[in-house]
Amino acid sequence: MNLKTLIQKIKGPKEILAAALAAIFVFSLAAYLAKTPKIRYSFRFQSVDSGRDNIEWRLLPYRKGSQKVVLYVEELLLGPKTERSRPVFSPGTRVDFCFERGKVLYVGLTPALLEKSGNASEIMDGIQLFKKNVRSAFPKFKQIEIYIDKKGLIGD
């Protein structure tokens, strides 16, 4: 059946409505498939109950180069979406800088990290969990250097 015979079969308002709905569906499907691709990442957060790791999966927009690491770190600092998980660091902790040189990732965080507030993980546990998350998502990094207020912490 070609388009010309299909158009000839449309006679009344019901057929026009059905054709319009079909056209809207096809347009919506094309727009959905054409939008920005996403990548699935895992995020580990400490459980409030047991202290073990809870894993969350999130879709993040596709980015090229070092921008995908920055996006991942910023998303990690936002904290968990589930109630029974602790944020990695205190609320309000943000990224000052994040860049890579070779196989080393340098991350600068705001001093809000040092203010233990809310139900956030302990600072040293949070740092280890932060590094575990980044290594899981980006295994190319052999070393992760964390800076707080532009002062270095012990790297690994």
Side-chain angles (χ1 to χ4, degrees):
M1 191 182 286
N2 62 21
L3 187 61
K4 189 174 183 179
T5 58
L6 187 62
I7 292 173
Q8 289 173 348
K9 287 188 176 188
I10 298 175
K11 295 179 183 175
K14 288 183 181 178
E15 289 86 7
I16 291 172
L17 180 63
L21 288 175
I24 291 171
F25 174 76
V26 169
F27 177 76
S28 298
L29 182 63
Y32 173 77
L33 295 175
K35 74 179 188 179
T36 308
K38 298 192 182 255
I39 298 177
R40 184 177 172 195
Y41 287 105
S42 68
F43 293 86
R44 295 175 183 273
F45 298 100
Q46 192 177 43
S47 170
V48 172
D49 302 320
S50 65
R52 296 174 55 192
D53 289 352
N54 290 338
I55 298 177
E56 291 183 11
W57 296 94
R58 297 185 192 171
L59 290 175
L60 300 181
Y62 175 78
R63 298 283 192 266
K64 289 186 178 183
S66 63
Q67 287 301 312
K68 61 184 163 188
V69 180
V70 173
L71 182 65
Y72 181 85
V73 169
E74 288 174 345
E75 188 73 20
L76 178 61
L77 293 179
L78 287 177
K81 291 185 177 182
T82 58
E83 291 180 21
R84 303 308 303 167
S85 296
R86 299 177 191 275
V88 176
F89 298 122
S90 297
T93 303
R94 300 284 176 255
V95 178
D96 271 341
F97 60 86
C98 182
F99 63 92
E100 58 186 272
R101 289 236 170 96
K103 296 183 182 210
V104 181
L105 179 68
Y106 298 91
V107 180
L109 302 174
T110 58
L113 177 145
L114 300 173
E115 301 167 8
K116 175 80 171 83
S117 63
N119 66 342
S121 299
E122 294 296 324
I123 294 172
M124 292 310 293
D125 293 340
I127 289 171
Q128 293 306 315
L129 192 56
F130 178 87
K131 291 178 179 182
K132 185 188 231 182
N133 271 295
V134 173
R135 280 202 184 96
S136 165
F138 305 98
K140 70 179 183 178
F141 296 120
K142 301 300 178 202
Q143 188 174 353
I144 301 170
E145 297 283 333
I146 298 177
Y147 294 82
I148 300 172
D149 201 22
K150 299 182 178 118
K151 295 176 180 81
L153 292 178
I154 298 172
D156 53 356

